[in-house]
Amino acid sequence: MKAVICDGFGGIDVLKVVDVEKPKPKPNQVLIKVIATSINRPDLVQREGKYPPPPGESEILGLEVAGIIEELGEDVKGWKVGDRVMSLVGGGGYAEYAVAYADHLIPIPESMSFEEAACVCESYITAYLNVFLLGELKDNNYAIFHGGGGGVNTAAIQITRALTKNVKIIVTAAPEKIEKVKELGADLVINFKETPDFSDIVKEYTNKKGVDVILDHVGAKYLMPNIKSLAYAGRLVIIGVISGIKAEINLGLVMVKRHKIIGSVLRSRPVEEKAEIIRAFRENVMPKFADRTIVPIIEKIIPIDNVKEAHRLMEEDKHFGKIVLKIQEP
């Protein structure tokens, strides 16, 4: 089968489209004919040699797939060959075929294309897990989503608007993305290039209350502004550390205001734990995709042979929503 491999670690030039052996499904797994996948920032980090796949997972890049079940492994129930499905995968998404656990599959609604479905699992499940299951966002809360314009943060805005009432969404974004973020549903957008410490603006906007939930992938640089922006019993969920991993923190403030600081990753969680998260997502969020309340935002669809272009587009950070990698026709 055709697949993308990393010929060493480094920049986009290490990406190679080659022929490799087709994988075989193990018990409780299925083989999927992959129609489309998407580019996620962890793919770039793995390409650079800083984010290895969990033990036993494919070394091929790609954390999600959308396609058609080609073969069932032993003990798989509730699915059949020919079903249209999307799934999280621990690796192997940039290929014509990939294996996935049956408990991680989500049926693709008739209203969705394969390209749209390829956008869902990594970004939208990550957003739902961290904003709702861990961050416990509720109606009438305030929330901050950092980095408006990326896949997870646009997903967080869309899911919040679909599942809650009267939540005030604050987003930090690059100046060229501010208007699009507003159109998507943000109530207040802060230009992070002009205002690296956003806490004073947040305090003013929330009448000194602060926010209930912060979704952060920036890390060290934003730690204290985040803490200063949290309301009493507020939750800071950290899902990335692009600005670094070390920072000082005022523990007294954390204690007095009863803050929760939650670190979270999705890829390395146990198979059973991922299955529970996916079941909750299927029940609570997928109906919003089926009726088109939520429509995945696609910046560009790029064929697998042009995978370097897809990674370059992600690196430039000028995209809005998801970059889809088209693998083959159905």
Side-chain angles (χ1 to χ4, degrees), residues 233-248:
R235 286 81 66 194
L236 167 61
V237 187
I238 300 173
I239 62 170
V241 287
I242 60 173
S243 72
I245 61 174
K246 295 182 179 181
E248 291 188 1

Side-chain angles (χ1 to χ4, degrees), residues 261-274:
I261 301 175
I262 304 165
S264 177
V265 294
L266 181 57
R267 186 184 193 183
S268 59
R269 290 173 184 264
V271 172
E272 298 79 8
E273 192 173 318
K274 286 184 187 176

